[in-house]
Amino acid sequence: MARAKRTTKEKLLDAAEKLFARQGYHGTSLRQITREAGVDLALVNYHFGGKEKLFEAVLDRRGAMLNEERLRRLEEVCGAAAPRPAATEAVVGAFFDPILDFLEHAGPGWHSYFSLLAWVNNSPQWGKRLMGKTFNATVKRFIEALMASLPKAAPEDIYWGYNFLTGALTLSLAETGRLDVLSGGLCRSADVAALRARLGPFVAAGLRGLAQRGG
Amino acid sequence: MARAKRTTKEKLLDAAEKLFARQGYHGTSLRQITREAGVDLALVNYHFGGKEKLFEAVLDRRGAMLNEERLRRLEEVCGAAAPRPAATEAVVGAFFDPILDFLEHAGPGWHSYFSLLAWVNNSPQWGKRLMGKTFNATVKRFIEALMASLPKAAPEDIYWGYNFLTGALTLSLAETGRLDVLSGGLCRSADVAALRARLGPFVAAGLRGLAQRGG
DNA sequence: CTTAGACTTCAACGGTCGTTCAATAGACCG
DNA sequence: CGGTCTATTGAACGACCGTTGAAGTCTAAG
């Protein structure tokens, strides 16, 4: 099989993705990235125009694909051809499942990407701008679908619920290894099947609980 | 009123707390911290012995107080003098309320501290070691209490549930401002009362949903 | 006042950072 | 072959990093 050889740009994106995910933006140097990628230091500025541009390029590369897949699944559960209003479980499934599927069946690049995404999402200095640029449009569609699936909930409850939902997902993707330590090895953070079996039920039940708050 | 003047150590801890929370460890320089604190650069090494020691001192300062308050409230709801097995809501309340109370009634230092804690908790490189050192003993007590409050749940479900619980809390403390943007200003991340009203119900319902998973 | 000890200042160290640029190599086409 | 454009190399720049040590200041006890 003739495998297409990785270009310099791809080597740099792969190495940056991996190292930014583990060490953060300021904790990773361009020299470390180019050494990992096996290319010359100056090529970062030649191909991307600087460290920050490289960082954004890493986030952009897989962001569009994730949005596509999420919207495709959302369409399946509450689009024109779908049964009446989608269940909350179906909406949160359309939000989580693309990530879990990529984690289970795609390469290690997605692994690093999601870990990096968790890092960015929790960062006061990067979160607002970079997450918004890539994901705001998609997220608003999901929030609308959540509101439709829980018609009795106040909009404020759905926004806060989405915040909690994202937080639960984010920490699960961050690869801190803390779950492994706390459970004495009984649970493993990298066990995608275990995460898949629990994240959806937890979040759907939580949203329902929010919707019935005080009612 | 004679106010005790802040010592150099306190000035450094305050400035470091604020800047580490906003910019992370590698994104903050000692020169920036000492400028903010209004003291000489060399005093960091004199009083703390280096940048990393200062970082850990920041985390330690309020960590012990948080543990104390959490355990005190846990004792109230499921200690020897408490009514029979605590409700899940009461346990998660004992876990969240100290943070929410400090946020509402204590100074801006706690604000920065919790934001920093969120940063550390999500960091692959700091999370496992530093969070564990300070919080593992307390967290294990809470996990036991959660198991007792949901006797039909599998231990794995409680560990994963605690992971989701912590994630929801973490993102809410991170001060990314993303909730404000997404909701168009309808919700404000800094609104502690709004968070208090929703985080407990969401998490308690989520844990219950996990416990009844497939049952 | 003198002395001891804790604290603070100042200047500098070696090292690493992101970025730049002129020179070189390689591919494609006439 | 010669010419052109893209890609790569290697060396260097100035800036900032964390850390150090010697000198200076302050306070309290003898």
Side-chain angles (χ1 to χ4, degrees), chain A residues 21-24 26-28 115 118-125 127-128 131-132 135-136 139-140 143 154-157 159-172 174-179 181-184 186-191 194-195 197-199 201-203 205-210 213, chain B residues 21-24 26-28 115 118-125 127-128 131-132 135-136 139-140 143 154-157 159-172 174-179 181-184 186-191 194-195 197-199 201-203 205-210 213:
Chain A
R22 291 186 187 172
Q23 311 171 158
H26 289 110
T28 306
S115 178
W119 187 88
V120 172
N121 193 39
N122 258 36
S123 154
Q125 56 175 180
K128 199 190 298 195
M131 294 300 291
F135 295 110
N136 264 6
V139 166
K140 285 183 181 177
I143 286 179
E156 290 92 329
D157 290 331
Y159 285 118
W160 278 101
Y162 172 78
N163 190 64
F164 302 149
L165 170 169
T166 306
L169 173 65
T170 294
L171 186 59
S172 302
E175 303 189 346
T176 63
R178 193 148 156 62
L179 175 62
V181 174
L182 276 173
S183 69
L186 184 62
C187 302
R188 288 166 296 111
S189 331
D191 184 348
L195 173 61
R198 293 175 177 90
L199 182 56
F202 179 91
V203 165
L207 287 170
R208 249 188 260 286
L210 258 190
R213 182 170 59 97
Chain B
R22 292 185 186 172
Q23 310 172 158
H26 289 111
T28 306
S115 178
W119 186 88
V120 172
N121 193 40
N122 257 48
S123 154
Q125 56 175 179
K128 199 190 298 195
M131 293 299 290
F135 295 109
N136 264 6
V139 165
K140 285 183 181 176
I143 287 179
E156 291 92 329
D157 290 331
Y159 285 118
W160 279 101
Y162 172 78
N163 190 64
F164 302 149
L165 171 169
T166 306
L169 173 64
T170 293
L171 186 59
S172 302
E175 305 190 342
T176 63
R178 193 148 156 63
L179 176 61
V181 174
L182 276 173
S183 69
L186 184 61
C187 302
R188 288 167 296 111
S189 331
D191 184 347
L195 173 60
R198 293 173 177 90
L199 181 56
F202 179 91
V203 165
L207 287 170
R208 250 188 258 287
L210 258 189
R213 183 171 58 98

Side-chain angles (χ1 to χ4, degrees), chain A:
Chain A
M1 176 196 299
R3 182 180 46 179
K5 73 173 178 187
R6 280 157 75 230
T7 67
T8 296
K9 277 181 113 162
E10 287 168 340
K11 289 182 199 168
L12 281 171
L13 287 170
D14 290 343
E17 187 172 61
K18 172 178 164 183
L19 294 169
F20 281 145
R22 291 186 187 172
Q23 311 171 158
Y25 178 80
H26 289 110
T28 306
S29 72
L30 292 184
R31 284 169 174 82
Q32 204 181 353
I33 291 171
T34 52
R35 200 182 319 127
E36 169 89 19
V39 306
D40 190 89
L41 168 64
L43 288 173
V44 170
N45 280 275
Y46 178 78
H47 285 292
F48 296 96
K51 185 182 185 182
E52 194 157 337
K53 299 275 189 55
L54 170 61
F55 186 71
E56 297 198 24
V58 168
L59 289 177
D60 284 345
R61 178 168 59 156
R62 304 190 201 266
M65 212 181 314
L66 178 56
N67 276 329
E68 268 180 45
E69 187 61 18
R70 276 179 162 168
L71 290 174
R72 196 184 64 74
R73 304 213 190 188
L74 186 62
E75 188 72 15
E76 278 182 13
V77 301
C78 64
R84 303 295 52 243
T88 305
E89 280 80 1
V91 177
V92 306
F95 192 77
F96 292 143
D97 286 343
I99 290 184
L100 299 169
D101 289 350
F102 282 136
L103 274 178
E104 252 175 344
H105 303 119
W110 282 98
H111 217 79
S112 292
Y113 169 74
F114 289 128
S115 178
L116 177 59
L117 213 53
W119 187 88
V120 172
N121 193 39
N122 258 36
S123 154
Q125 56 175 180
W126 302 97
K128 199 190 298 195
R129 184 170 65 90
L130 294 182
M131 294 300 291
K133 190 183 68 166
T134 309
F135 295 110
N136 264 6
T138 299
V139 166
K140 285 183 181 177
R141 295 277 308 273
F142 273 90
I143 286 179
E144 288 166 13
L146 285 177
M147 288 180 179
S149 81
L150 292 165
K152 295 200 286 190
E156 290 92 329
D157 290 331
I158 300 296
Y159 285 118
W160 278 101
Y162 172 78
N163 190 64
F164 302 149
L165 170 169
T166 306
L169 173 65
T170 294
L171 186 59
S172 302
L173 297 175
E175 303 189 346
T176 63
R178 193 148 156 62
L179 175 62
D180 311 61
V181 174
L182 276 173
S183 69
L186 184 62
C187 302
R188 288 166 296 111
S189 331
D191 184 348
V192 178
L195 173 61
R196 188 196 295 274
R198 293 175 177 90
L199 182 56
F202 179 91
V203 165
L207 287 170
R208 249 188 260 286
L210 258 190
Q212 293 160 1
R213 182 170 59 97

